[in-house]
Each structure stands twice: as C-alpha cells, then as structure tokens.
Amino acid sequence: MLRKSHAQYRVLLFFVALFSFFIWGETVSATFTLPMQPPIVVPIRWGEGPARIFSGEVLKPRTESAETPNSIQLEPSTPILSIEQLSEVETRSSENEKTEDSNVSTQVVGESFGPNIIKNSSLETAASANIPMQWHQGGYGVNTRTLSYPVSGYLNTRGISVNITAYTNGDAKWYFDDVLVIPGETYEFSDYYKTTVGSQISIRYTLNNGSFAYQTLSVLSAQNTWKTSPVRFVVPGTAISATIFHLIAQKGMLTTDEYILRRVFPASTIPSEIPAGTDKNLVTNGTFEATDVNGLPLHWSKGGWGSNTAALSYPVLGVSGSKAVKVAVSAYTNGDTKWVFDDVPITEGVYTYRTEYLSTISSVLTTRFKKTDGSYVYSDIGTVPPSGVFAAVTKDFSVPAGVVQTTVFHLINSIGELTSDNVSLIRKETMAGVFKTGAISLTFDDGWLSQYTNALPVLDKAGLKGTFYIATRQLADTGFSGFVSKIQIADLYARGHEIGAHTRTHPFLPTLSESMQREEIAGSRQDLIDMNVGTILTFAYPFGEYDARTTVLVKEAGFASARSTIPGTVLPTSDRYQLAHFSMENNTTLENIKQAIDVAILNKQWLIFTFHQIDESGSKYSTRPALLQQMVDYMTQKKVSVIPVSLGVASMQ
C-alpha cells in the first residue's frame, strides 16, 4: 500500500513539474521534504518576485549592486512559506503577468496617457563614456555578464545591452532612476527590445518604510528584430516610487531602447495634477515625501561650502503639514549652505523654477549648468525676500546651447534659516515668437540726418524695418543741424519703420532729479505721440545711463521696453527694461558682425545692433554706409529675421 502511494506521488509530482515548466519557463530547482515521502523537486521561477525560497527559508529581496556584479545581500525572514502558499503567491503574480508579445498599444477607446516619467528615456544623454545619464548597471548572482553603452539602438539611436556568457544563477539588467508613482493608479510600461533568449520585465517598488518589493510584469520570448510589448500594472498602496528591470537570467544577449512609463487615465478621468518626477516637473521628489535608506529625501543631497556653521534638517514641517527640508546657519564668515536635487538632463530652452519657502533672511536662487565638455557654469537668477509664512517664488531662466544638465540651488549665505517645500523645474512648452529661430534688430539712436539719407535707402531696398530712437527736442525743426526733422520722422513711420523715444534733450538721466527725469522720459513719448508716429512703446537710455528711479519712470510713462548699452543678446527671460545690444563703432568689422549674427541665430537669441551716424566721418560711433550695405546683404543672404524692437519684446516672457 505504501509503495503504491509513493508511486502515485511520483506521477503526480511529475505532472506538477511538467505543468510548472510550461507555465514558468526557465527554472531552477529547490528541494523540499514531505514527511514519510521521498524528496521531491518543484520548479521555481528565477527572477524578481515577492519572495524566494532557498533550502526552505524565505529571503527578503536583495540589494542591487551596480559596482560589484556578483555581490548579493540576502536577509533571512520568517515565516517559511509552504508549497501551497508558494503556489498561491505565484498564482497571484501570474494574474498580473503578460506572457505574450504585442506590437500594439494597449490603449482603449476614450482613455489617455500622462507624460513619460522616465528621464533620459531614449538614452541619448551620456553621464560618462559608458553610462547613460540617470541609468544604472544592475545584476546579481553567479554569472559572467557585460553591460554595454552606447550600442546601436532602435532606429540607430543609442541603446543599451546586457550579455551573459556564463550562467549559474542571478540576472543582468540596466535600470533607470526611481520615479515617483501614485498608489492605486494604473501605469503602462514599454520599451523596444531584441534578444537572443527569453527575457523578463519586473518592477521594483520602494515602499513607504524604505524597503523594496518586486513584481514580475511580463515574460517575453526571444526576438531577433526590434519589438515593443506594452504591459500595465496597478501601484500598490504602500509604494512611493519604482523602477523597472528588463532582464535576462540565462546565457544570451538583450538590447533595449526607447523606454516609456506613463500613467493611464480612463475615459472619465482628467488628471488634476502631475506628480514630481514627470516630464512636467523635472525634479524627482520635489515634495520631499520620499525618503531614501539613509534617511535623506530621495534624490536630494546636502550641499554647501566655505567657513560657516550650518545645520541641514530633514524632515521638517512643510506646507500643509507635509515633509520639507531646512537649512540653518548659526555662524558665518563666507560660503553658503543648501539642499541640492539630483542633476536633471536639459536642452536649450526656457525653464521655470518654483518653490514654496519660509525664511528669516534673504535667500538666493542659483543655477548650475553642466556643459558638454564637463565644465560647470554658475549663475545667480534671483534674490528671494524673507517670509514668515510659506510663500511661493517663481523664476524663469534660459538654458543656452551646449548645456546637458542642471540643478538649481535655493541657498542662504548669512546667519539665518530657510525651509523649502514643493520644488519644481518645468520646461516651457515652446520658444515664443522670434526665439524659435533667433532674430536681429537694427536700431538707430539720436535721429541723425545721415540715418535718413544713408541708412533708410539701404533698408527700404532690402525690405527691412528698423527702430529709430528720437531725442524729440534736438531736431532740425528746433535748430539742430545734422538731425532729422518732424517731416522726416513721419516719413520713416510711413515707410513702416518703428519710432522710439530717446528723451527730449539726451541728458545723463541719473544726474537729474526725479521730476526732471520724468519730464525727459514721459515728455519725449508724448512729443512723439503728438506727431502721430505710433503708440511709442520702446525707449533707449541716453549714453546707456540710468538708475533705479529711471527704470520705474520708464515703466510709468507707458513704455513696454527700454534698450540699454549692456553688451550681449536678449533671451526670452531677459529684463525688458535693460535690453542688451551690440554697439556699432568705427572699428567694427564685417567679420565681427557676421560672427555675432551667426551665434545669435544658432542659439535662437535676439541680437540688437545700435547705430549712430551712418557716414564717412570716422568718429567713434559712426558706421560707413558700405559696411551697412554689406551687413544687410549678409542678413538677406542668410534669410535672417530682422524685426523692430516692439516685435521682439512681444515674444519675451
């Protein structure tokens, strides 16, 4: 009777093992002992899962190691799962699996997707020669693996690959920085892949207690051409962030590219907010709610330099009782202190930084750009006043060409305290107006007669429009020879050129009283309005001289902008009352001009040229008519956009 029972067990277990092989694919063997029965072998899926069984004990998920390929950290735990409990765990996991490939999206009619929340998802930005930015090498166990970057990816762009040439156990994979996810919400993951062997897609959740949990999402067959296989999952209630492994756990090679992870919105759902870490907010964990294993906010680090006594605290009470970070300086000689979010990849464009804060002192916003050559450039973009209650500060800044990543410091550099919460960095959707292509403006100061006689014909012939800044009480009509008349100003306007104000008498404005400045500034605008030569929205400071009172008076007079004599180009976020320029002088060469134009157009910036006399006098601020003609010919040849100042200002933020 006993021998018959043993035989029945053997037959039963054979079919269990055979069935499990077809269900689970690649297997390893684990041995269990039943009372009074011979040893049995049950196939167990190798890879990520809620638990693993080795020699009859349950082990917590390992710690990933990018630096030491064969390192593995396993911590025993209790209780031990029975075979029946194991089967139940595997059954629940299998319900969420997708075991067949698909080349089509899983989107159904009426639903929509959120943005891709994986940073550097196309793997085009490199952190080093062999690591894509915000990606990591991973794997564990006893195997010989090679992780390569860059390799030829989908559509010949950059991709990543893993290759296992000898295998006993474990796996190999690349994985991206954890991204924040919303418990209870549905997400869809996909990538493009090709592989010589079967592969597996698994997710690693970081839970609110700092531990990891793993779930297998999909088991995929070998694929020798590029393919994508979207898979969906629902985030468990205790998860705060996640990353996804596309791995192999046997000898073979896997190449992947074009990763996408996005939230799925049912037809009746309209997203009310976008969590930090999405394409909208480049700062991961900008709310500080996620904590890493060291007790620091996830994706943030402590920063500072110099001689000072600083304390950086986390968590502290934030907006509406949430978590926040705090810096405090109790003794100060020099330097600063701040919390720093992980560098994020960026491209040329305009970005908006926002944070909510409270502070006992003024604080500073500073950008740190990393350039393509690996060097860093720092720039202060704003000073923030103290606030005894949480207040919001928003600042736009432009990123020039040649920058690959950035972080923004909200710092203090004196004795005091600063608390920060809800940090975001958002790329503005598009460059507006002239900043889509770059543009040039030709401005003419003072109302010199030579501008009318020598420059106007050149501009009109080429169909270009300039901006002429007029000092309204220094005209031929008032006895100033060598300057234009009111009739000539009206003619300029009638030909489509813009008229701007340049005060009445061209004084050094900062040397005047406030009332006298007002008379010069507002008076000149009114003079031009009385001539019926436009609404007069742009102003130029005589000699480029002004003070704080001057800019206020210019705004009060109704001007939308003012050109300074600061050298440089104008960005979308520049101060419209301190527009930079390029001064044309008697030693300016055609090569100087061409280079300035080319750089401005390449960087999609606005370049304003300032002319005075257009003659052969050779005075410092004069330009030869022949040089102006060559300049106009070059811009015409290059099909450069030439605009009046008011049009450029309309494109600014």
Side-chain angles (χ1 to χ4, degrees):
M1 184 68 180
L2 182 61
R3 299 175 68 86
K4 181 179 180 181
S5 176
H6 283 177
Q8 290 172 331
Y9 273 116
R10 291 189 184 97
V11 173
L12 174 62
L13 291 171
F14 171 81
F15 282 103
V16 168
L18 185 62
F19 176 76
S20 300
F21 177 83
F22 284 107
I23 293 296
W24 291 325
E26 278 299 311
T27 63
V28 295
S29 296
T31 301
F32 300 88
T33 302
L34 294 177
M36 304 294 296
Q37 305 297 334
I40 63 173
V41 177
V42 178
I44 301 171
R45 178 172 50 215
W46 189 271
E48 308 299 339
R52 299 185 183 83
I53 298 180
F54 296 87
S55 304
E57 76 176 354
V58 180
L59 300 174
K60 291 182 180 178
R62 67 182 179 281
T63 300
E64 293 297 329
S65 172
E67 300 299 328
T68 310
N70 292 326
S71 67
I72 178 170
Q73 300 179 26
L74 299 169
E75 300 175 19
S77 179
T78 57
I80 297 174
L81 293 183
S82 67
I83 296 177
E84 292 78 15
Q85 289 171 319
L86 173 65
S87 299
E88 182 181 353
V89 168
E90 295 290 355
T91 300
R92 288 199 303 269
S93 180
S94 297
E95 290 174 354
N96 291 321
E97 286 186 9
K98 179 178 174 138
T99 56
E100 291 299 327
D101 309 277
S102 172
N103 267 324
V104 298
S105 170
T106 59
Q107 186 173 13
V108 299
V109 175
E111 70 181 10
S112 60
F113 293 121
N116 185 6
I117 61 177
I118 301 174
K119 297 179 180 177
N120 196 22
S121 58
S122 296
L123 305 161
E124 295 304 303
T125 305
S128 65
N130 57 3
I131 301 287
M133 187 178 294
Q134 296 184 302
W135 285 76
H136 309 276
Q137 295 180 337
Y140 78 102
V142 181
N143 57 71
T144 302
R145 57 184 176 269
T146 303
L147 291 91
S148 302
Y149 172 82
V151 299
S152 181
Y154 181 62
L155 299 178
N156 295 316
T157 57
R158 293 183 176 186
I160 48 180
S161 70
V162 294
N163 186 22
I164 295 180
T165 55
Y167 182 84
T168 301
N169 56 43
D171 66 32
K173 67 264 187 175
W174 287 91
Y175 62 100
F176 53 84
D177 281 356
D178 266 63
V179 295
L180 297 187
V181 290
I182 303 174
E185 296 299 327
T186 300
Y187 289 76
E188 181 176 285
F189 170 80
S190 66
D191 64 0
Y192 278 86
Y193 69 96
K194 58 181 179 179
T195 177
T196 61
V197 295
S199 62
Q200 177 177 305
I201 297 175
S202 297
I203 188 168
R204 184 189 72 187
Y205 294 109
T206 299
L207 306 183
N208 54 17
N209 63 2
S211 65
F212 293 145
Y214 297 78
Q215 179 186 10
T216 301
L217 300 180
S218 183
V219 177
L220 305 172
S221 58
Q223 181 67 38
N224 60 10
T225 59
W226 287 105
K227 194 167 189 175
T228 185
S229 300
V231 61
R232 293 187 176 188
F233 58 93
V234 177
V235 178
T238 56
I240 58 174
S241 65
T243 188
I244 291 177
F245 309 140
H246 194 168
L247 61 88
I248 54 174
Q250 56 185 307
K251 288 196 294 184
M253 186 171 185
L254 166 68
T255 305
T256 55
D257 195 6
E258 299 297 337
Y259 282 68
I260 298 176
L261 177 58
R262 52 190 179 175
R263 186 176 167 189
V264 181
F265 296 100
S268 59
T269 302
I270 298 176
S272 59
E273 62 177 306
I274 300 173
T278 69
D279 276 358
K280 289 294 183 182
N281 183 9
L282 299 176
V283 181
T284 301
N285 195 27
T287 60
F288 302 103
E289 297 306 303
T291 305
D292 67 16
V293 294
N294 298 314
L296 298 176
L298 193 64
H299 296 295
W300 287 78
S301 57
K302 297 178 179 180
W305 65 278
S307 178
N308 56 74
T309 303
L312 293 90
S313 305
Y314 172 81
V316 299
L317 196 62
V319 177
S320 302
S322 61
K323 293 179 181 178
V325 293
K326 180 179 179 180
V327 293
V329 174
S330 56
Y332 182 85
T333 302
N334 55 42
D336 64 40
T337 185
K338 66 259 184 178
W339 285 92
V340 183
F341 62 82
D342 288 352
D343 280 290
V344 296
I346 54 172
T347 56
E348 178 187 1
V350 180
Y351 293 76
T352 300
Y353 174 86
R354 184 184 187 277
T355 185
E356 293 179 75
Y357 75 99
L358 57 88
S359 178
T360 61
I361 55 171
S362 293
S363 51
V364 179
L365 298 176
T366 301
T367 58
R368 182 183 71 188
F369 294 150
K370 183 178 181 181
K371 302 174 68 176
T372 51
D373 62 4
S375 63
Y376 288 93
V377 177
Y378 298 79
S379 177
D380 292 343
I381 59 172
T383 300
V384 184
S387 178
V389 296
F390 273 105
V393 59
T394 301
K395 183 65 179 178
D396 287 351
F397 62 94
S398 295
V399 175
V403 173
V404 295
Q405 58 180 303
T406 190
T407 187
V408 181
F409 308 142
H410 190 180
L411 60 88
I412 56 175
N413 52 13
S414 60
I415 295 175
E417 298 180 353
L418 167 67
T419 300
S420 301
D421 198 0
N422 294 333
V423 178
S424 64
L425 179 61
I426 299 172
R427 179 184 171 89
K428 294 216 166 180
E429 293 300 326
T430 58
M431 298 287 263
V434 302
F435 297 102
K436 292 180 180 179
T437 58
I440 304 299
S441 286
L442 306 176
T443 66
F444 300 85
D445 282 12
D446 304 339
W448 292 95
L449 180 60
S450 62
Q451 297 169 1
Y452 184 83
T453 57
N454 296 331
L456 181 61
V458 175
L459 298 182
D460 285 352
K461 184 178 180 180
L464 304 182
K465 305 304 178 185
T467 299
F468 292 80
Y469 290 107
I470 306 297
T472 59
R473 298 294 171 90
Q474 293 187 347
L475 304 175
D477 308 77
T478 55
F480 285 82
S481 62
F483 291 88
V484 294
S485 66
K486 290 181 181 180
I487 292 176
Q488 290 167 330
I489 296 171
D491 186 45
L492 287 170
Y493 178 68
R495 293 170 184 254
H497 300 281
E498 180 178 34
I499 307 300
H502 200 37
T503 70
R504 281 178 161 169
T505 64
H506 206 279
F508 286 92
L509 287 172
T511 66
L512 304 182
S513 67
E514 184 172 321
S515 61
M516 293 177 68
Q517 283 201 48
R518 181 179 290 108
E519 181 181 346
E520 287 282 349
I521 295 167
S524 65
R525 181 169 188 256
Q526 189 58 52
D527 289 343
L528 292 169
I529 290 173
D530 291 343
M531 295 181 199
N532 294 317
V533 289
T535 53
I536 317 303
L537 297 176
T538 183
F539 181 84
Y541 302 106
F543 309 104
E545 298 288 338
Y546 57 95
D547 58 21
R549 297 175 304 160
T550 312
T551 56
V552 171
L553 292 170
V554 168
K555 295 176 187 178
E556 290 179 351
F559 293 103
S561 69
R563 201 212 62 218
S564 70
T565 55
I566 299 170
T569 56
V570 181
L571 307 177
T573 55
S574 296
D575 185 343
R576 63 182 64 195
Y577 292 95
Q578 298 185 79
L579 299 178
H581 84 146
F582 183 109
S583 178
M584 292 291 295
E585 301 179 8
N586 62 2
N587 60 353
T588 303
T589 67
L590 181 60
E591 289 307 311
N592 297 151
I593 296 167
K594 288 181 177 180
Q595 182 179 16
I597 292 172
D598 291 346
V599 170
I601 300 305
L602 176 65
N603 292 322
K604 298 179 176 60
Q605 296 170 347
W606 176 24
L607 176 60
I608 302 173
F609 285 97
T610 299
F611 297 86
H612 288 82
Q613 300 99 312
I614 308 297
D615 57 27
E616 303 288 348
S617 66
S619 61
K620 181 176 181 180
Y621 294 104
S622 66
T623 300
R624 292 180 295 104
L627 181 60
L628 174 63
Q629 182 66 65
Q630 291 173 312
M631 177 180 179
V632 167
D633 290 344
Y634 182 74
M635 291 188 293
T636 302
Q637 173 195 341
K638 301 285 285 188
K639 298 181 180 180
V640 172
S641 176
V642 179
I643 59 171
V645 169
S646 59
L647 184 58
V649 171
S651 298
M652 297 177 69
Q653 306 297 332

